Amino acid sequence: MPAYLIVHAERRGDDTLIEDDALTVQFDPHWVTLFDNTGTCFAAPREKIHAVIRVDPEEDPELLEPAPQKE
């Protein structure tokens, strides 16, 4: 599931994590905007945002093992 951590420029520990199955992010010269399948779900002026970080879930090591082979 796509997730983005919005790190605010003032860095007061009030960062925002947004996650949704249909989440996309758009950067333009003045705004950072996140959309889901119903429309805009977050928007902020770029000067108020320090960083937007994509957060991927930890992968389960059991799922990364090769499938058993037929004998």
Side-chain angles (χ1 to χ4, degrees):
M1 173 182 311
Y4 291 91
L5 179 63
I6 312 300
V7 181
H8 300 282
E10 295 179 1
R11 307 289 302 229
R12 290 189 221 150
D14 57 350
D15 299 336
T16 306
L17 179 66
I18 301 175
E19 53 188 330
D20 190 290
D21 287 328
L23 192 60
T24 58
V25 63
Q26 176 183 341
F27 300 93
D28 71 33
H30 303 285
W31 290 89
V32 174
T33 310
L34 281 82
F35 300 91
D36 63 10
N37 56 3
T38 61
T40 302
C41 59
F42 179 89
R46 286 191 71 158
E47 67 268 8
K48 299 290 184 181
I49 302 297
H50 176 71
V52 177
I53 303 167
R54 172 75 186 253
V55 181
D56 291 322
E58 301 258 340
E59 294 185 15
D60 187 349
E62 290 183 17
L63 298 176
L64 298 176
E65 293 179 10
Q69 295 183 5
K70 288 186 178 180
E71 292 183 24

